[in-house]
Amino acid sequence: MKKIKLLALAFLLMSSARAQQKLIVKVHPGVELFTIVQILADKFPAPNPSAYSKEVMDYFGKYKEHPAVLKVKSFNKVYTDLTELGWTMSDFPNIRIYEPTEELNWYKNYGKENVLEYIRLCKDFFRDTKFWDFYQAHAKQYEEWGQGIKQNVSDSGTMQQLQQFYGFNTDVTWYICIDPLNSWGSHAITTKNINPQFSNMVVYNTGYFNTKSTVADKPFFEYKGFDYLVWHEGSHIFLEPSFKKYKKEIDAMAYLYNKDDEGMKRNGIGSWEYCLNENMVRAIVGSLYKKYRTEREFKRQVARETASDFIYVEDLVPFIIDNYGEGKKYTKFEDFFPAMLQMLKEKHPPVGK
């Protein structure tokens, strides 16, 4: 018995170590670069005061007339999350730029050529200001700021819970981008649309929200909202092989696409495959709420999804709970996925059949 307990403890420690290796918590150089440019252009909410934000302005304040700053200043309405364009850059400090081929919302807002020119000008800003010297000088601070939230995420077990649900490993890296100049909010960044090099990365951007801070304070980052992001965005990655394998069967069910619902339009759901993917992801998250959260939290989560016009969630959630998992009819996800498709077809046959 003692040996079994020791083996179990060793397994848990190994799982935690693997999770830590797959978890990055740091200031992303691209996001920080684009944030600073927008701040200099007065196109970003003022950061909450900190010793760091003062250092940023002391160092970069003289570059307010840089072409990159003037370019973003020329855009009509600049959204705070435009800084996600930092993910088009890789291989710091020898930056390589990926020009997104997807029809990004930023292209629609500002024009593709304007966006690509802005990205190139930000690369020039990186070089002209010796941005990398500033970033490297603060690297130790960035690491220290991320330690607490990294430990909290690892201790939560959220990543292991998701992997246990699907029953197999996949090459997913979880990246929490701590954003010391962000005073406005947290959000997920869909990196696969910005740069396919980072398709297997789940990215969550979170800021420093102490409205009572002073220039003497250090930025502090809290563990909030990451559990849902791990389950939701991670599921998109875990589901991708099944969606590729059953593409023909999925396409044949396109009659189920509720494209005229307000929720679909509001959430930018433009195809049946996207619609089904979101419904499945949200239903799987609902089943995880059932297992790992309170009954009230579970019910509220499912109600929130159905109210947003993800109408198949209410069919999928009970089907998952009743039929998938240890001791249930299906114990392997690769067997269960086509069963979900079959259930939806039987419950919602084409009109006239």
Side-chain angles (χ1 to χ4, degrees):
M1 181 63 72
K2 185 177 181 181
K3 185 177 180 181
I4 292 173
K5 288 181 178 179
L6 288 172
L7 287 172
L9 178 60
F11 176 78
L12 288 172
L13 290 172
M14 288 171 60
S15 296
S16 178
R18 284 195 296 270
Q20 287 268 11
Q21 291 169 3
K22 288 288 188 179
L23 174 63
I24 299 169
V25 183
K26 65 184 295 186
V27 174
H28 186 273
V31 171
E32 195 71 350
L33 172 66
F34 278 73
T35 298
I36 289 170
V37 171
Q38 283 184 224
I39 287 174
L40 294 177
D42 296 321
K43 296 289 187 176
F44 198 84
N48 286 319
S50 69
Y52 177 75
S53 63
K54 183 178 185 304
E55 289 176 43
V56 166
M57 293 310 299
D58 288 345
Y59 185 91
F60 293 101
K62 61 185 177 183
Y63 295 101
K64 288 189 175 184
E65 298 301 314
H66 190 278
V69 177
L70 297 178
K71 183 65 179 180
V72 74
K73 204 167 190 174
S74 72
F75 293 166
N76 288 329
K77 179 179 180 181
V78 179
Y79 295 87
T80 47
D81 51 351
L82 182 65
T83 58
E84 69 179 23
L85 290 176
W87 283 91
T88 61
M89 296 180 172
S90 62
D91 300 290
F92 292 92
N94 302 310
I95 293 176
R96 286 178 18 185
I97 293 174
Y98 174 79
E99 297 185 356
T101 56
E102 296 286 332
E103 194 57 33
L104 297 181
N105 284 331
W106 307 124
Y107 290 169
K108 297 174 185 176
N109 289 339
Y110 310 120
K112 183 175 181 178
E113 288 308 312
N114 276 326
V115 171
L116 294 179
E117 181 187 0
Y118 176 51
I119 294 171
R120 290 190 288 268
L121 288 171
C122 284
K123 181 180 178 181
D124 293 343
F125 185 93
F126 178 94
R127 181 197 63 225
D128 297 340
T129 64
K130 294 183 171 55
F131 176 93
W132 194 246
D133 290 347
F134 180 86
Y135 183 87
Q136 288 295 94
H138 292 82
K140 186 176 180 181
Q141 287 179 305
Y142 298 155
E143 184 177 350
E144 289 173 354
W145 296 343
Q147 283 305 311
I149 195 170
K150 185 172 185 178
Q151 191 60 52
N152 286 336
V153 171
S154 181
D155 291 346
S156 73
T158 312
M159 293 180 286
Q160 296 94 315
Q161 291 161 1
L162 184 72
Q163 186 170 291
Q164 185 180 22
F165 176 88
Y166 288 97
F168 59 87
N169 295 321
T170 192
D171 184 22
V172 181
T173 297
W174 318 92
Y175 193 122
I176 303 179
C177 175
I178 52 174
D179 197 353
L181 301 174
N182 167 8
S183 63
W184 62 274
S186 303
H187 67 294
I189 299 177
T190 311
T191 49
K192 67 179 181 180
N193 294 338
I194 301 170
N195 192 336
Q197 180 179 339
F198 306 115
S199 292
N200 287 346
M201 191 169 278
V202 178
V203 179
Y204 183 55
N205 194 76
T206 190
Y208 172 53
F209 307 126
N210 182 6
T211 56
K212 297 180 180 179
S213 63
T214 70
V215 293
D217 293 321
K218 295 179 181 179
F220 175 78
F221 301 91
E222 296 181 275
Y223 171 69
K224 286 184 178 180
F226 193 70
D227 289 0
Y228 177 84
L229 177 86
V230 168
W231 289 343
H232 184 109
E233 300 299 337
S235 284
H236 283 301
I237 296 173
F238 275 93
L239 282 171
E240 188 172 356
S242 295
F243 268 77
K244 286 181 178 178
K245 183 176 180 179
Y246 293 96
K247 186 179 188 317
K248 184 178 179 181
E249 291 82 352
I250 290 169
D251 288 346
M253 299 169 63
Y255 66 90
L256 291 173
Y257 181 28
N258 53 317
K259 62 181 179 180
D260 294 325
D261 286 346
E262 183 58 37
M264 295 295 95
K265 297 174 183 177
R266 185 174 62 253
N267 287 283
I269 309 297
S271 70
W272 160 241
E273 183 177 340
Y274 189 7
C275 173
L276 178 63
N277 196 295
E278 283 292 339
N279 273 273
M280 280 194 173
V281 163
R282 291 161 193 265
I284 288 166
V285 170
S287 71
L288 290 169
Y289 265 74
K290 177 71 172 178
K291 185 172 183 178
Y292 297 109
R293 296 290 183 269
T294 66
E295 186 68 13
R296 184 181 180 188
E297 288 174 315
F298 159 67
K299 289 180 177 178
R300 288 178 64 184
Q301 181 61 32
V302 173
R304 188 179 295 117
E305 304 295 11
T306 54
S308 296
D309 286 319
F310 294 99
I311 58 177
Y312 301 111
V313 167
E314 60 185 357
D315 295 326
L316 287 163
V317 168
F319 188 74
I320 295 169
I321 292 171
D322 293 342
N323 293 281
Y324 178 65
E326 187 176 354
K328 304 288 178 65
K329 183 177 180 179
Y330 299 95
T331 57
K332 294 182 178 179
F333 190 77
E334 54 263 38
D335 297 330
F336 184 61
F337 184 87
M340 286 193 286
L341 298 181
Q342 186 61 32
M343 180 274 293
L344 288 174
K345 285 196 296 184
E346 291 176 357
K347 196 154 191 177
H348 305 282
V351 176
K353 292 191 177 182

